[in-house]
Coordinates of all heavy atoms in Angstrom, one line a residue:
P11 N 81.4 107.4 83.7 CA 80.0 107.5 83.6 C 79.3 107.9 84.9 O 79.9 107.8 86.0 CB 79.5 106.1 83.2 CG 80.6 105.2 83.5 CD 81.9 106.0 83.5
A12 N 78.1 108.3 84.8 CA 77.3 108.8 86.0 C 77.4 107.8 87.1 O 77.1 106.6 86.9 CB 75.9 109.1 85.6
G13 N 77.7 108.2 88.3 CA 77.6 107.4 89.5 C 78.7 106.4 89.7 O 78.6 105.6 90.6
C14 N 79.8 106.5 88.9 CA 80.9 105.5 89.0 C 81.7 105.8 90.2 O 82.5 104.9 90.7 CB 81.7 105.5 87.7 SG 82.6 107.0 87.5
G15 N 81.6 107.0 90.8 CA 82.3 107.3 92.0 C 83.4 108.3 91.8 O 84.4 108.4 92.7
K16 N 83.3 109.1 90.8 CA 84.4 110.1 90.5 C 84.6 111.1 91.8 O 85.7 111.2 92.2 CB 84.0 111.0 89.3 CG 83.9 110.3 88.0 CD 83.4 111.1 86.9 CE 82.0 111.6 87.0 NZ 81.0 110.5 86.8
S17 N 83.5 111.6 92.2 CA 83.6 112.6 93.3 C 84.1 111.9 94.6 O 85.0 112.5 95.3 CB 82.3 113.3 93.6 OG 81.8 113.8 92.4
T18 N 83.6 110.7 94.9 CA 84.0 110.0 96.1 C 85.5 109.7 96.0 O 86.3 109.8 97.0 CB 83.2 108.7 96.3 OG1 81.8 109.1 96.1 CG2 83.4 108.1 97.7
L19 N 86.0 109.4 94.8 CA 87.4 109.0 94.6 C 88.3 110.3 94.7 O 89.4 110.2 95.2 CB 87.6 108.3 93.3 CG 89.0 107.6 93.1 CD1 89.3 106.6 94.2 CD2 89.1 106.9 91.7
D41 N 81.8 119.9 87.4 CA 80.4 119.5 87.2 C 79.5 120.7 87.4 O 79.3 121.1 88.6 CB 80.1 118.3 88.1 CG 78.7 117.7 87.7 OD1 78.0 118.3 86.9 OD2 78.4 116.6 88.3
P48 N 81.3 115.6 97.8 CA 81.7 115.0 99.1 C 83.1 115.6 99.6 O 83.5 115.2 100.7 CB 81.9 113.5 98.8 CG 82.1 113.4 97.3 CD 81.3 114.6 96.7
D105 N 87.5 116.8 89.1 CA 86.2 116.1 89.0 C 85.4 116.6 87.8 O 85.2 117.8 87.7 CB 85.5 116.4 90.3 CG 84.4 115.4 90.6 OD1 84.2 114.4 89.8 OD2 83.6 115.6 91.6
T106 N 85.0 115.6 87.0 CA 84.4 116.1 85.7 C 82.9 115.8 85.8 O 82.4 115.0 86.7 CB 85.0 115.4 84.5 OG1 84.8 114.0 84.6 CG2 86.5 115.7 84.4
P107 N 82.1 116.3 84.9 CA 80.6 116.1 85.0 C 80.2 114.7 85.0 O 80.8 113.8 84.3 CB 80.1 116.8 83.7 CG 81.2 117.8 83.4 CD 82.4 117.2 83.8
G108 N 79.1 114.4 85.7 CA 78.5 113.1 85.8 C 78.2 112.5 84.4 O 78.4 111.4 84.1
Q109 N 77.6 113.4 83.5 CA 77.3 113.0 82.2 C 78.5 113.0 81.3 O 78.8 114.0 80.6 CB 76.2 113.9 81.6 CG 75.0 114.1 82.4 CD 74.1 112.9 82.3 OE1 74.3 111.9 81.6 NE2 73.0 112.9 83.1
N173 N 86.3 100.9 90.3 CA 86.0 101.4 91.6 C 84.8 100.5 92.2 O 84.2 99.7 91.5 CB 85.5 102.8 91.5 CG 85.2 103.4 92.9 OD1 85.8 103.1 93.9 ND2 84.2 104.3 92.9
K174 N 84.6 100.6 93.5 CA 83.6 99.9 94.2 C 83.9 98.4 94.4 O 82.9 97.6 94.3 CB 82.2 100.1 93.6 CG 81.8 101.6 93.4 CD 80.3 101.8 93.0 CE 80.0 103.2 92.7 NZ 78.6 103.5 92.4
I175 N 85.1 98.1 94.5 CA 85.4 96.7 94.7 C 84.9 96.1 96.0 O 84.9 94.9 96.2 CB 86.9 96.3 94.5 CG1 87.8 97.2 95.4 CG2 87.4 96.5 93.1 CD1 89.1 96.5 95.8
D176 N 84.6 97.0 96.9 CA 84.0 96.5 98.2 C 82.7 95.8 98.0 O 82.3 94.9 98.7 CB 83.8 97.7 99.2 CG 83.0 98.8 98.6 OD1 83.4 99.5 97.7 OD2 81.9 99.0 99.1
V177 N 82.0 96.2 96.9 CA 80.7 95.6 96.6 C 80.9 94.3 95.8 O 80.1 93.4 95.9 CB 79.8 96.6 95.7 CG1 78.5 96.0 95.5 CG2 79.7 97.9 96.3
V227 N 90.0 99.7 93.1 CA 89.9 100.5 94.3 C 88.5 100.5 94.9 O 87.5 100.1 94.2 CB 90.3 102.0 94.0 CG1 91.7 102.1 93.4 CG2 89.3 102.7 93.1
S228 N 88.4 100.9 96.2 CA 87.1 101.2 96.8 C 87.3 102.7 97.3 O 88.0 102.8 98.3 CB 86.7 100.3 97.9 OG 85.7 100.9 98.6
A229 N 86.7 103.6 96.6 CA 86.8 105.0 97.1 C 86.1 105.1 98.5 O 86.5 105.9 99.3 CB 86.1 105.9 96.1
K230 N 85.1 104.3 98.7 CA 84.3 104.4 99.9 C 85.2 103.9 101.1 O 85.2 104.5 102.1 CB 83.1 103.5 99.8 CG 82.1 103.7 100.9 CD 80.9 102.8 100.6 CE 80.0 102.7 101.9 NZ 79.1 101.6 101.8
N231 N 85.9 102.8 100.9 CA 86.7 102.2 102.0 C 88.2 102.6 101.9 O 89.0 102.0 102.7 CB 86.6 100.7 102.0 CG 85.2 100.2 102.3 OD1 84.3 101.0 102.7 ND2 84.9 98.9 102.1
Ligands
LIG301 P1 78.0 111.8 89.3 O1 79.1 112.8 89.0 O2 76.9 112.5 90.0 O3 77.6 111.1 88.1 O4 78.6 110.7 90.3 P2 80.1 110.3 90.6 O5 80.7 109.5 89.5 O6 80.9 111.5 91.0 O7 79.9 109.3 91.8 P3 79.8 109.7 93.3 O8 81.1 109.9 93.9 O9 78.8 110.8 93.5 O10 79.2 108.3 93.8 C1 78.0 107.8 93.4 C2 77.5 106.8 94.5 O11 78.4 105.7 94.6 C3 77.4 107.4 95.8 O12 76.3 107.0 96.5 C4 78.7 107.0 96.5 O13 78.6 106.9 97.9 C5 78.8 105.6 95.9 N1 80.2 105.1 95.8 C6 81.3 105.8 95.4 N2 82.4 105.1 95.5 C7 82.1 103.9 96.1 C8 82.8 102.7 96.5 O14 84.0 102.6 96.3 N3 82.0 101.8 97.0 C9 80.7 101.9 97.2 N4 80.1 100.8 97.8 N5 80.0 102.9 96.9 C10 80.7 104.0 96.3

Side-chain angles (χ1 to χ4, degrees):
C14 65
K16 297 177 289 293
S17 306
T18 312
L19 193 55
D41 190 351
D105 195 3
T106 63
Q109 306 284 359
N173 186 32
K174 305 194 187 182
I175 55 152
D176 56 293
V177 185
V227 304
S228 164
K230 191 177 166 199
N231 293 352

